């Protein structure tokens, strides 16, 4: 049977290094299977997260050959196995141990977002009526499995470390889901511009490219939200200018603002 | 004396799946302080994986549906061993619970007139499952999570409870550790709700995650609570079988609800060959009628692919055993054939079953819009669990409540698909409410140091053993292999008896295993600590299965292939005896009130 080598980051908060593990690979295996095999046979204390093994829970996020991906949905036959496969934790977040990172910041951001607030029911029995086509748009956002791969890849967080000011793509998707929810009557425009700094996003589309749920994060969520902010806070000319500028990613190389 | 941090709450909820979160929200609404503990990150519990839908007789698609029909369906599915009070409350209250989710922001698929759409599922007479494509569980847990985080609930993510703490027969708290640092935690509470889910990790082929080690059942059992119906473990008929690394991953029943059919390698729809008597009048006897049913023809009867799970799973096992299986030892499940019947079938399948489409495409290189899937039974759901009072969800231990998959009663001998998500809502809510009531009229109890010391030293023991000892993974794997072979889907008295000494040997090994590394996020250590729970529930399943000398619902004994009316009158209780031995007790099924009996008669 074939074997493959996995170059796995082992370490903790203080630091760590890559360690190579060779293991037998068989048909249909995914990276998570390989990590489990390493764990069972060679490194009992290897730390990793997983739950569903089917791309539904968003627990097993890691960087595989430098790309943020779900370990359970990355087939080994999609990777070149003639050289070691690197497996490392999400680099935007503080390491805990091995492949586990401290993602608690994300949960705090969510708490800071104004929750869903519904309009009064449409029918006397206390229920609402919604058309499927209005629901479709928001259901796309609600597919999010909170894997935080998009957060990991976003340069505003990863390079510029704007954790204190910037909500990140996952939470723009979340806010888009709330703002476009057919029943929601809350207004989050001021916070989008203020505490969540949607303006830092310069539509590089990196987040959209890594989303395992194929959510069109930039076009369907972030840009419409930016438009709402622009409609509220800027005159039409500035708005046009900003959209044009925001749409061109090559122009911004340095930290935003 | 071990070091630990102390947290104090009125109500402590163990588990942050649908049941735990719903309980916490309700308890918080009742004005008490709440702590929630879960082994994974928030929003990753099993509930997130549920696909098909939530059963609730709202009658949005077929107005003939109502709580009485749902009640009768649930009882029939459970072969009348269900706790009838739970089945009644569940059928009556689930529609409001679903609407409550909508009020908190859940977005279900819609009917043409804009109401919540409902789909067909096995054993449900009318289209009854509120759903969002095939990711209903995600919608549910996210709605509860996003609502819950604004209700003043304190959540301890990635923490595991090792022990319930007792004082004078009453529960007074729990002791555990945080997975990240491995530090001990003491939770003092006036009431505790256990909502820890199932036990699927006792088996090799399962749709369940690493979390499902039966912790809540073992914790409650050790605290003196009765377990009930432990012989009834659901094997879902359709898990993936190929490639080996995905074996056991669930293929939702929604596939069959949307018109998917089961065939053997001879291309025969074998489900037509064996329709059990109680379902004969409700089941289509030709392919044409079955198809019309899935397309909403109200005068058609359901296809045999939508019979109950226990029966379908056994038919699949028969096909495979008799040599009519698919190339990798399953049978074929085909949804692609519907292109013969409807235009745009490909788009339709992708829209209705998006995650199934992706799952097969990405993990098995199969395009389900073009070719059949290979499927076989997988360990899926525990009908048995902690025995609770139907109204309050309190166990036989004062102050200890249970809800969700770890509690038992609603489903009897077999659960209908979709009845779990509704179970979580209805009984999570009730457990939260009654736990809050209990907390309001009770004080905090004293916590004995001896209990804490014992739990802590047991937890640390694997580090102290020499490195030459065995590690935890091998013992877990051997247990899974053994349970799969001896206490699986088709059982015999002889094999069940063989399992007992095997369990004893595995128990011995678990007492001598060692773990390497330190206490920080050490998966090996965590596996070692979950093992005693797995062993306890495995023994309970085995002993209950030995006791029930008949075949009923999910429990099938080849040596006793028929139902025995005497066993139809009893539930089997598992209780910890005074000397620590596991007792098996037959308890008469409580008599049903006349008006419920009448509903069942009318629906026959
Ligand atoms: C793939 C799949 C598909 C399904 N589809 C459907 C469906 O369509 N419809 C339906 O009705 N049902 C379905 N089910 C069944 C249903 O999803 C589960 O029964 C249900 O979600 C269980 O919910 P719960 O709240 O009881 O437990 P869970 O959601 O599993 O939550 C258990 C919680 O307890 C925590 N926990 C466990 N042990 C400990 C411990 N020792 N200390 C601290 N915390 C602990 C866990 O971390 C977790 O947070 C499906 C199940 C699976 C696996
Ligand atoms: S598009 Fe915006 S949010 Fe997405 S990665 Fe780029 S900067 Fe970040
Ligand atoms: S938006 Fe996509 S990438 Fe981001 S957390 Fe959600 S599922 Fe993951
Ligand atoms: S384990 Fe759930 S997404 Fe990978």
């Amino acid at each position: 049977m074939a074997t493959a080598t996995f170059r796995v980051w082992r370490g903790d908060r203080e630091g760590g290094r890559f360690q190579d593990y060779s293991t037998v690979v068989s048909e249909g295996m995914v990276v998570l299977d390989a990590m489990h095999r390493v764990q069972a046979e060679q490194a009992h204390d290897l730390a990793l997260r997983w739950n569903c093994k089917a791309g539904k829970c968003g627990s097993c996020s890691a960087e595989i050959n430098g790309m943020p991906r779900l370990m359970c949905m990355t087939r080994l036959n999609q990777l070149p196995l003639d050289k070691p496969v690197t497996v490392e934790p999400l680099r935007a977040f503080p390491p805990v141990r091995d492949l586990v990172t401290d993602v608690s910041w994300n949960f705090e951001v969510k708490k800071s977002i104004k929750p869903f607030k519904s309009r009064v029911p449409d029918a006397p029995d206390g229920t609402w009526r919604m058309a499927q086509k209005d629901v479709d748009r928001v259901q796309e956002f609600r597919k999010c499995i909170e894997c935080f791969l998009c957060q990991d890849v976003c340069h505003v967080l990863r390079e510029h470390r704007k954790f204190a000011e910037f909500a990140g793509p996952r939470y723009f998707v979340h806010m888009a889901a709330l703002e476009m929810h057919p029943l929601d009557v809350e207004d989050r425009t001021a916070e989008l511009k203020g505490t969540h700094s949607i303006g830092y996003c310069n539509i590089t589309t990196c987040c959209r490219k890594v989303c395992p749920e194929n959510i069109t994060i930039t076009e369907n969520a972030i840009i419409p939200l930016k438009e709402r902010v622009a409609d509220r806070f800027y005159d039409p000319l500035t708005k046009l200018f900003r959209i044009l500028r925001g749409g061109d990613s090559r122009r911004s190389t340095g930290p935003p603002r | 004396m071990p070091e630990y941090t102390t947290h104090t709450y009125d109500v402590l909820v163990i588990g942050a799946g649908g049941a735990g979160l719903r309980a916490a929200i309700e308890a918080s609404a009742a004005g008490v302080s709440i702590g929630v503990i879960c082994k994974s990150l928030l929003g990753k519990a099993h509930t997130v994986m549920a696909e098909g839908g939530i059963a609730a007789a709202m009658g949005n698609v077929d107005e003939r549906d109502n709580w009485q029909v749902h009640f009768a369906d649930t009882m029939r599915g459970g072969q009348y061993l269900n706790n009838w009070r739970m089945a009644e409350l569940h059928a009556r209250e689930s529609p409001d619970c679903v609407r409550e989710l909508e009020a908190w922001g859940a977005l279900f698929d819609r009917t043409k007139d804009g109401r919540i759409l409902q789909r067909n599922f096995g054993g449900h007479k009318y289209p009854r499952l509120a759903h969002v494509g095939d990711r209903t569980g995600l919608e549910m847990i996210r709605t509860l999570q996003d609502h819950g985080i604004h209700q003043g609930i304190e959540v301890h993510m990635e923490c595991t409870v090792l022990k319930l703490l007792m004082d004078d027969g009453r529960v007074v708290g729990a002791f555990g550790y945080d997975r990240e640092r491995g530090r001990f935690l003491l939770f003092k509470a006036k009431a505790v709700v256990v909502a820890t889910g199932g036990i699927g990790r006792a088996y090799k082929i399962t749709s369940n995650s690493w979390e499902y080690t039966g912790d809540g059942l073992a914790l409650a059992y050790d605290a003196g609570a009765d377990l009930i119906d432990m012989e009834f473990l659901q094997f879902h008929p359709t898990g993936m079988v190929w490639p080996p690394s995905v074996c056991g991953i669930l293929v939702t029943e929604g596939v069959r609800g949307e018109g998917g059919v089961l065939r053997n390698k001879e291309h025969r729809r074998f489900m037509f060959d064996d329709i059990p008597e109680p379902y004969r009048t409700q089941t289509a006897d030709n392919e044409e009628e079955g198809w019309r049913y899935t397309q909403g023809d109200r005068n058609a009867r359901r296809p045999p692919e939508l019979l109950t799970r226990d029966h379908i799973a056994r038919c699949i096992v028969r096909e495979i055993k008799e040599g009519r299986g698919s190339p990798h030892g399953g049978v074929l499940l085909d949804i692609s054939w519907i292109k013969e019947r409807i235009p745009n079938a490909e788009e339709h399948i992708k829209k209705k079953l998006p995650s199934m489409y992706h799952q097969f495409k990405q993990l098995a290189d199969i395009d389900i819009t073009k070719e059949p899937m290979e499927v076989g039974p997988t360990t899926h759901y525990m009908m048995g669990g902690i025995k609770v009072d139907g109204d309050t969800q309190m166990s036989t231990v004062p102050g200890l409540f249970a809800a969700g998959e770890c509690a038992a009663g609603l489903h009897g001998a077999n659960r209908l698909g979709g009845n779990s998500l509704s179970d979580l809502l209805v009984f999570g809510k009730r457990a939260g409410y009654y736990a809050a009531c209990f907390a309001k009229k009770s004080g905090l109890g004293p916590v004995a140091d001896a209990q804490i010391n014992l739990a802590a030293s047991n937890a640390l023991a694997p580090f102290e053993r020499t490195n030459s000892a065995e590690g935890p993974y091998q013992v877990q794997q051997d247990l899974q292999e053994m349970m799969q072979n001896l206490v699986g889907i088709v059982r015999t008295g002889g094999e069940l008896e063989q399992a007992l000494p095997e369990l004893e040997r595995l128990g011995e090994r678990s007492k001598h295993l060692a773990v390497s590394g330190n206490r920080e996020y050490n998966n090996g250590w965590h596996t070692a600590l979950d093992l005693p729970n797995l062993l306890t529930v495995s023994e309970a399943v085995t002993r209950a299965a030995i006791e029930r000398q008949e075949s009923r619902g999910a429990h099938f004994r080849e040596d006793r292939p028929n139902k025995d009316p005497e066993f139809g009158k009893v539930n089997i209780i598992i209780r910890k005896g005074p000397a620590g031995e596991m007792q098996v007790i037959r308890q008469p099924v409580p008599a049903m009130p006349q008006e419920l009996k009448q509903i069942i008669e009318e629906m026959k």
Side-chain angles (χ1 to χ4, degrees):
Chain A
M1 242 192 247
T3 64
T5 302
F6 294 87
R7 187 157 287 172
V8 186
W9 193 84
R10 302 291 315 264
D12 55 24
R13 291 171 190 80
E14 270 71 61
R17 59 187 184 82
F18 284 98
Q19 195 164 328
D20 284 0
Y21 299 94
S22 287
T23 186
V24 173
V25 300
S26 45
E27 193 178 343
M29 258 172 82
V30 294
V31 172
L32 182 63
D33 296 320
M35 291 302 101
H36 276 147
R37 214 166 256 187
V38 167
Q39 194 180 51
E41 291 163 3
Q42 303 174 50
H44 287 191
D45 61 344
L46 175 66
L48 54 86
R49 288 192 178 110
W50 69 283
N51 281 286
C52 69
K53 246 183 133 282
K56 297 194 170 97
C57 72
S59 302
C60 65
S61 308
E63 295 183 13
I64 300 164
N65 283 348
M67 278 296 292
R69 306 181 71 157
L70 298 176
M71 291 193 279
C72 71
M73 296 305 272
T74 308
R75 295 273 295 273
L76 293 183
N77 64 6
Q78 300 160 351
L79 301 168
L81 295 182
D82 50 341
K83 48 183 195 259
V85 176
T86 61
V87 187
E88 52 192 316
L90 299 183
R91 292 302 195 180
F93 299 109
V96 171
R97 241 178 79 93
D98 305 340
L99 302 177
V100 174
T101 51
D102 179 357
V103 290
S104 57
W105 170 81
N106 292 284
F107 293 88
E108 294 307 314
V109 175
K110 189 182 252 181
K111 268 195 213 158
S112 73
I113 295 167
K114 281 189 192 155
F116 173 74
K117 190 168 138 195
S118 74
R119 69 172 186 237
V120 292
D122 303 333
D125 65 353
T127 60
W128 290 269
R129 299 289 177 272
M130 288 177 260
Q132 183 63 44
K133 72 170 177 0
D134 297 329
V135 166
D136 274 340
R137 182 158 85 142
V138 181
Q139 281 181 338
E140 181 192 5
F141 306 139
R142 293 183 65 90
K143 285 193 307 190
C144 169
I145 55 173
E146 301 200 332
C147 64
F148 308 133
L149 292 176
C150 57
Q151 305 285 75
D152 182 54
V153 84
C154 176
H155 68 111
V156 183
L157 297 169
R158 194 180 176 105
E159 271 107 53
H160 307 299
R161 319 295 301 167
K162 298 282 185 194
F163 289 98
E165 302 141 75
F166 184 68
R170 157 60 191 132
Y171 295 102
F172 296 134
V173 169
H174 180 57
M175 282 184 267
L178 290 165
E179 287 285 297
M180 297 177 205
H181 193 299
L183 305 185
D184 183 78
V185 292
E186 189 57 89
D187 178 1
R188 299 169 190 81
T189 319
E191 290 89 341
L192 270 167
K193 176 174 180 288
T195 44
H196 304 307
S197 311
I198 197 169
Y200 285 3
C201 162
N202 55 344
I203 319 282
T204 58
T205 71
C206 309
C207 51
R208 189 198 67 202
K209 287 178 193 138
V210 300
C211 176
E213 286 291 317
N214 294 315
I215 299 171
T216 322
I217 303 177
T218 34
E219 288 75 1
N220 290 355
I222 296 181
I223 292 175
L225 289 180
K226 277 175 172 279
E227 283 168 357
R228 283 180 191 220
V229 171
D231 282 343
R232 173 81 55 89
F233 294 100
Y234 304 99
D235 64 45
L237 250 179
T238 330
K239 179 185 151 194
L240 184 68
F241 173 71
R242 287 180 69 90
I243 288 174
L244 287 177
R245 203 181 67 130
D248 184 354
S249 61
R250 279 160 304 175
R251 226 176 268 170
S252 74
T253 43
R257 289 239 286 229
Chain B
M1 200 56 194
E3 265 183 51
Y4 56 80
T5 322
T6 305
H7 300 273
T8 306
Y9 302 105
D10 292 325
V11 174
L12 178 71
V13 179
I14 308 175
L21 288 173
R22 189 63 194 82
I25 290 168
E26 200 61 22
S28 144
V32 299
S33 69
I34 332 275
V36 174
I37 318 173
C38 53
K39 293 208 278 190
S40 288
L41 295 171
L42 190 56
K44 312 291 183 199
H46 243 77
T47 301
V48 79
M49 297 173 219
E51 295 163 355
I54 314 174
M58 295 186 285
N60 287 357
V61 170
D62 193 321
E63 77 291 339
R64 289 173 297 181
D65 202 11
N66 55 42
W67 79 262
Q68 287 96 335
V69 190
H70 193 182
F71 167 75
D73 286 351
T74 302
M75 294 297 293
R76 188 185 307 112
Q79 310 256 348
Y80 306 104
L81 286 183
N82 324 48
N83 175 327
W84 52 261
R85 178 63 177 157
M86 285 175 81
E88 178 194 358
L89 290 171
H90 169 256
R92 281 179 187 271
E93 293 175 6
S94 53
D96 276 342
C97 283
V98 170
R99 289 184 203 115
E100 202 163 43
L101 283 186
E102 180 154 284
W104 294 341
L107 275 177
F108 294 101
D109 287 354
R110 316 308 296 181
T111 60
K112 289 217 165 61
D113 64 349
R115 294 183 299 165
I116 296 173
L117 181 61
Q118 300 183 271
R119 72 155 46 120
N120 288 315
F121 238 56
H124 293 282
K125 186 159 184 200
Y126 299 117
R128 190 175 283 150
L129 269 68
H131 62 277
V132 185
D134 54 5
R135 58 159 189 86
T136 314
L138 171 64
E139 189 68 16
M140 176 159 156
I141 199 164
R142 202 65 84 228
T143 302
L144 293 171
Q145 174 189 347
D146 293 355
H147 182 73
I149 57 173
H150 296 287
Q151 312 303 313
I153 297 161
E154 250 179 66
V155 183
H156 300 265
M157 296 198 285
E158 301 202 297
C159 294
T160 303
V161 170
L162 291 166
K163 195 98 199 130
L164 293 177
L165 302 169
M166 304 298 293
D167 176 62
D168 198 19
R170 170 197 152 196
V171 65
V172 291
F175 187 72
Y177 63 97
D178 76 280
R179 290 159 48 81
E180 196 175 313
R181 300 270 185 165
R183 289 175 298 209
F184 289 126
L185 303 164
L186 169 64
F187 299 94
K188 293 186 178 180
K190 297 172 183 169
V192 174
V193 180
V194 178
T196 52
I199 70 157
R201 294 306 281 183
Y203 289 79
K204 187 172 147 195
I205 300 175
T206 176
S207 63
N208 294 174
S209 86
W210 67 271
E211 292 202 309
Y212 266 24
T213 48
D215 297 5
L217 279 69
L219 292 172
Y221 168 81
D222 280 330
D226 282 358
L227 306 181
I228 187 171
D229 294 339
M230 291 297 287
E231 66 278 30
F232 297 119
L233 181 62
Q234 181 167 79
F235 297 86
H236 194 290
T238 61
M240 292 176 80
V241 298
W242 187 260
S245 65
V246 296
C247 190
I249 291 180
L250 195 76
V251 181
T252 176
E253 191 167 320
V255 175
R256 285 169 279 141
E258 297 295 339
V261 298
L262 289 164
R263 294 185 196 278
N264 61 22
K265 75 167 182 207
E266 291 151 7
H267 225 66
R268 187 176 172 76
R269 270 180 80 178
F270 57 86
M271 286 310 301
F272 276 109
D273 300 344
D274 184 357
I275 298 169
E277 206 40 58
Y279 287 95
R280 193 169 301 276
T281 55
Q282 305 182 357
T283 308
D285 51 17
N286 63 81
E287 301 197 6
E288 186 54 40
E289 184 178 1
W291 165 251
R292 283 193 282 118
Y293 176 89
T294 64
Q295 297 313 297
D297 180 340
R298 300 172 42 154
N299 298 318
R301 293 169 300 174
R302 72 183 129 201
E305 275 87 357
L306 291 177
L307 286 164
T308 54
R309 292 176 174 178
D310 53 334
H311 178 70
I312 299 178
R314 278 193 297 277
C315 290
I316 294 177
V317 170
R318 182 196 61 215
E319 291 303 304
I320 299 169
K321 258 197 182 152
E322 294 176 4
R324 294 185 295 273
S326 62
H328 299 106
V331 294
L332 300 172
L333 170 62
D334 190 10
I335 180 80
S336 70
W337 80 281
I338 68 171
K339 60 180 174 275
E340 298 163 17
R341 300 294 183 120
I342 55 171
N344 293 330
E346 240 185 83
E347 284 321 302
H348 180 77
I349 294 167
K350 285 186 198 164
K351 166 82 193 154
K352 281 295 175 186
L353 302 162
S355 57
M356 283 306 107
Y357 175 75
H358 279 118
Q359 187 171 311
F360 274 89
K361 191 101 187 134
Q362 277 182 269
L363 296 174
D365 296 321
I366 299 264
D367 180 347
I368 66 167
T369 67
K370 300 206 166 64
E371 47 195 327
M373 306 160 238
E374 270 189 85
V375 295
T378 180
T379 314
H380 184 57
Y381 184 88
M382 187 59 188
M383 268 76 71
I386 302 164
K387 181 172 185 276
V388 289
D389 171 67
D391 288 82
T392 64
Q393 296 293 104
M394 190 158 90
S395 71
T396 52
V397 170
L400 181 63
F401 297 75
E405 189 170 341
C406 68
L410 171 61
H411 310 295
N414 182 40
R415 172 179 76 99
L416 300 186
N419 267 3
S420 169
L421 291 185
S422 41
D423 172 8
L424 311 183
L425 295 172
V426 170
F427 295 107
K429 180 173 178 170
R430 283 185 164 266
Y433 176 75
Y434 287 101
C437 294
F438 188 95
K440 282 181 188 167
K441 60 182 187 357
S442 338
L444 284 167
V447 172
D449 285 344
Q451 291 182 40
I452 295 176
N453 293 346
L454 183 66
S457 65
N458 282 345
L460 295 177
F463 285 115
E464 275 139 36
R465 300 195 187 112
T466 58
N467 277 333
S468 63
E470 170 175 53
Y473 297 102
Q474 194 57 50
V475 183
Q476 196 195 49
Q477 269 172 28
D478 291 350
L479 171 66
Q480 292 165 339
E481 188 87 42
M482 189 282 287
M483 288 299 284
Q484 188 82 32
N485 293 336
L486 300 181
V487 197
I489 182 165
V490 175
R491 302 167 173 176
T492 68
E495 288 181 345
L496 292 171
E497 291 290 349
Q498 255 178 309
L500 290 174
E502 291 284 339
L503 281 166
E504 205 156 314
R505 274 191 286 278
L506 288 157
E508 272 314 302
R509 282 167 66 190
S510 81
K511 288 188 191 121
H512 295 102
L513 52 81
V515 297
S516 54
N518 62 28
R519 283 164 71 174
E520 294 198 5
Y521 221 108
N522 185 338
N523 285 163
W525 184 40
H526 303 159
T527 305
L529 296 181
D530 292 341
L531 206 48
N533 300 328
L534 264 187
L535 284 160
T536 301
V537 293
S538 297
E539 183 180 343
V541 173
T542 310
R543 289 196 188 276
I546 291 173
E547 185 70 10
R548 186 169 286 282
Q549 292 153 28
E550 63 156 356
S551 291
R552 182 182 298 269
H555 172 67
F556 185 78
R557 294 251 319 234
E558 216 166 30
D559 54 340
R560 313 268 170 148
N562 298 316
K563 267 190 244 183
D564 174 346
E566 284 311 303
F567 277 104
K569 295 181 192 150
V570 291
N571 293 110
I572 289 166
I573 301 282
I574 300 285
R575 184 182 297 159
K576 191 170 187 171
E581 81 285 7
M582 192 175 275
Q583 299 178 340
V584 183
I585 299 150
R586 292 186 195 181
Q587 202 169 67
V589 175
M592 204 187 302
Q594 197 47 45
E595 63 271 24
L596 294 182
K597 271 193 196 147
Q598 205 172 333
I599 294 173
I600 289 174
E601 275 314 307
E602 282 163 13
M603 303 287 166
K604 266 202 171 129

